[in-house]
């Protein structure tokens, strides 16, 4: 059931800018906006030829504007944000191997977008799509990971450029809200899965030398199906009275890592895997981190205790706040989401 639109935030004929519109999540966000009746959706894309990923709206009475530009260009940002009442900022530096590149393509781009929106003085909501990976997850497993949990204070020590960039991105959005009054909301999804993202998340384990090391065990995997995540992002953009708030997004009935791996092998393909007990994986991460420090970075500390707590520590996840404050409910069940995901995985294997 869709919530009624809060007209105090945005009208259906006002401009909504979606950055990262042709990525994995972007087309579903655009489709969700169109389904809700918005008629002026501006889709920012950097790569030519990817517009085909956007929903086909011919004859539907909608207006989708494709804007090709680069968020590193201040001029492009000024043009893209003109008349935008709501900005849904999905663009992110995924897959960057270095901290400078991740910072440039997540933090500097976000600053450029915020600066440009201040020039026009028409912005009523800036939604920054962040990630659950920003949390330090230092509390005991009996305490659910929710919006009150602390964020990494030293994200660089995790040796994860993506985490570092997301922490800094959230910080700059918060700073602009405090200093310049930018009305913002931060959305932190778990692992977003669905057609187009068929990889097995590292929260389950890692493949090495032809054997899959299963590190998750009985841990819950914080999945959110792409359609459900898109719903939460759109609601964060149009719901009144939530400026300055943070919302974590995970689905209901989340599977354990062990259950997911069993279902994947049954539905997609069989492969060899070895379960690594938590005590052993933690000890290995600790040893790796110590050697990296001792060798002065000769061995990059890609496995460390902070990363272990984030990805492989036993954790409970809460979606109470996003349900209570946004009226969000996952419209695709986890069982159905996994069924669709496994189907797309099989199709990808068949065409490989």
């Amino acid at each position: 059931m869709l919530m009624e639109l809060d007209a105090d935030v945005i009208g259906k004929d006002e401009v909504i800018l979606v950055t990262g519109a042709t990525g994995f999540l972007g087309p579903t966000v655009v489709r969700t906006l169109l389904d809700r009746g918005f008629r002026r959706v501006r889709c920012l894309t950097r790569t030519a030829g990817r517009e085909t990923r956007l929903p086909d709206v011919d004859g539907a009475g909608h207006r989708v504007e494709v804007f090709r530009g680069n968020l590193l260009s201040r001029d492009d940002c000024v043009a893209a944000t003109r008349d935008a009442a709501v900005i849904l900022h999905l663009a992110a530096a995924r897959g960057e191997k270095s901290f400078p590149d991740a910072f440039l393509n997540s933090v500097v781009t976000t600053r450029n977008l915020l600066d440009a929106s201040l020039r026009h003085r028409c912005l009523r909501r800036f939604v920054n799509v962040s990630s659950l990976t920003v949390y330090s997850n230092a509390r005991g497993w009996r305490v659910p990971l929710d919006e009150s949990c602390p964020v990494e204070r030293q994200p660089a020590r995790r040796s994860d450029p993506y985490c570092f960039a997301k922490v800094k991105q959230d910080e700059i959005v918060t700073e602009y809200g405090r200093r310049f009054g930018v009305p913002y909301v931060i959305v932190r999804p778990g692992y977003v899965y669905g057609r187009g993202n068929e990889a097995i998340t590292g929260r389950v384990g890692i493949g090495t030398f032809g054997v899959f090391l299963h590190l998750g065990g009985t841990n819950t995997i914080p999945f959110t199906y792409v359609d459900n995540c898109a719903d939460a992002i759109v609601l964060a953009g149009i719901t009144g009275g939530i400026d300055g708030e943070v919302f974590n997004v995970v689905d209901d009935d989340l599977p354990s890592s062990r259950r997911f791996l069993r279902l994947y092998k049954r539905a997609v393909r069989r492969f060899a895997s070895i379960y690594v007990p938590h005590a052993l994986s933690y000890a290995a991460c600790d040893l790796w981190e110590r050697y990296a420090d001792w060798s002065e970075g000769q061995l990059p500390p890609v496995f460390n205790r902070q990363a272990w707590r984030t990805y492989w520590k036993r954790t409970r996840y809460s979606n109470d706040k996003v349900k209570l404050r946004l009226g969000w409910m996952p419209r695709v069940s986890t069982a159905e989401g996994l069924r669709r995901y496994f189907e797309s995985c099989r199709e990808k294997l068949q065409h490989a």
Side-chain angles (χ1 to χ4, degrees), residues 248-317:
N248 295 348
V249 183
V250 294
D251 291 347
D252 294 333
D253 303 321
L254 297 171
S256 69
S257 175
R258 181 169 292 142
R259 179 168 176 267
F260 168 81
L261 193 58
R262 183 171 63 248
L263 291 173
Y264 184 96
K265 289 182 178 182
R266 183 186 306 164
V268 182
R269 65 183 178 93
R270 300 281 181 177
F271 55 87
S273 63
I274 298 174
Y275 171 60
V276 181
H278 282 65
L280 181 57
S281 63
Y282 182 84
C285 287
D286 180 46
L287 182 63
W288 190 299
E289 183 179 4
R290 290 175 185 273
Y291 182 81
D293 289 341
W294 176 80
S295 67
E296 298 182 347
Q298 188 178 45
L299 180 69
V302 291
F303 297 103
N304 55 74
R305 289 169 294 174
Q306 284 177 256
W308 185 90
R309 283 192 291 268
T310 297
Y311 298 113
W312 304 307
K313 176 185 173 183
R314 190 176 179 188
T315 305
R316 296 168 53 221
Y317 300 93

Side-chain angles (χ1 to χ4, degrees), residues 327-340:
W328 174 86
M329 289 294 291
R331 57 188 168 101
V332 179
S333 68
T334 297
E336 175 61 17
L338 288 175
R339 186 195 68 77
R340 297 180 188 179

